[in-house]
Amino acid sequence: MYVKVVDGNVSKYPYEMSDFYKDNPKISFPKNMTDEALAEYGVYPVVEVDQPDFNEATHNLVLNTQPTLIDGVWTVGFSSVAKTDEQVVAYNEDIIHGHRLRRGSALIMSDWTQMPDSPLSDEDKAAWVTYRQALRDISKHSNWPNLEDDDWPTKPWHTVI
């Protein structure tokens, strides 16, 4: 991606090679233009900086619309913009919905452990009861709703046949 600069100011961004050829229809250029040759016409490559760390629950990451000249390099970066209260609520509702789906699936997948004809011992059934209760209580976790995988209860795998 390129930027067209006139008198030190951004004239057009993004600027593509097709724009360059349209702006200079009477000039014959080599097939592969170098950055140095393009600079003679006020056209410069734009470098995209790495995304900064940000809290997805409270902020949106926005790609800046205009590049800036930093240490002689035209650079486009990102801005972290605070979410509105409505956006935070919507984000949390989406996260909570996903957690409830995960919890429901885990409960369904472990229903067999509580059936009267389950081949598990009473001790193993009790371990699954504890696991299933921890799933039901997940919304009381201190990190709720921003859970990490390690926040979820661990299946009592040793009891699976």
Side-chain angles (χ1 to χ4, degrees):
M1 196 59 59
Y2 295 91
V3 61
K4 172 74 173 175
V5 178
V6 176
D7 296 327
N9 297 312
V10 173
S11 169
K12 183 173 181 185
Y13 176 78
Y15 189 82
E16 298 181 16
M17 289 307 296
S18 60
D19 297 319
F20 178 73
Y21 295 125
K22 286 178 193 172
D23 289 347
N24 301 285
K26 296 184 180 188
I27 301 175
S28 178
F29 294 104
K31 185 174 182 177
N32 295 317
M33 292 285 292
T34 65
D35 289 345
E36 293 79 16
L38 288 169
E40 292 178 24
Y41 293 87
V43 177
Y44 303 93
V46 176
V47 175
E48 188 174 293
V49 298
D50 292 334
Q51 293 182 3
D53 290 333
F54 73 106
N55 183 339
E56 188 177 359
T58 59
H59 287 76
N60 289 317
L61 191 61
V62 179
L63 181 63
N64 296 334
T65 59
Q66 291 293 312
T68 55
L69 190 59
I70 300 174
D71 297 328
V73 177
W74 284 96
T75 306
V76 66
F78 296 85
S79 296
S80 177
V81 179
K83 289 184 177 183
T84 64
D85 291 341
E86 293 82 15
Q87 289 173 321
V88 170
V89 168
Y91 175 85
N92 285 337
E93 286 174 354
D94 286 347
I95 296 295
I96 289 167
H97 177 72
H99 291 332
R100 287 187 174 138
L101 290 174
R102 179 176 175 178
R103 175 182 59 195
S105 176
L107 286 167
I108 289 169
M109 296 300 292
S110 63
D111 278 348
W112 68 272
T113 66
Q114 302 308 300
M115 297 297 165
D117 61 346
S118 169
L120 299 177
S121 67
D122 290 342
E123 181 182 337
D124 289 343
K125 266 190 181 183
W128 280 95
V129 166
T130 301
Y131 165 73
R132 290 167 55 85
Q133 187 59 51
L135 287 170
R136 289 185 186 95
D137 293 340
I138 194 72
S139 61
K140 297 175 186 172
H141 193 284
S142 62
N143 291 340
W144 182 264
N146 301 308
L147 301 174
E148 301 290 331
D149 283 338
D150 291 344
D151 295 330
W152 287 84
T154 303
K155 290 180 187 177
W157 285 107
H158 65 281
T159 62
V160 177
I161 299 174

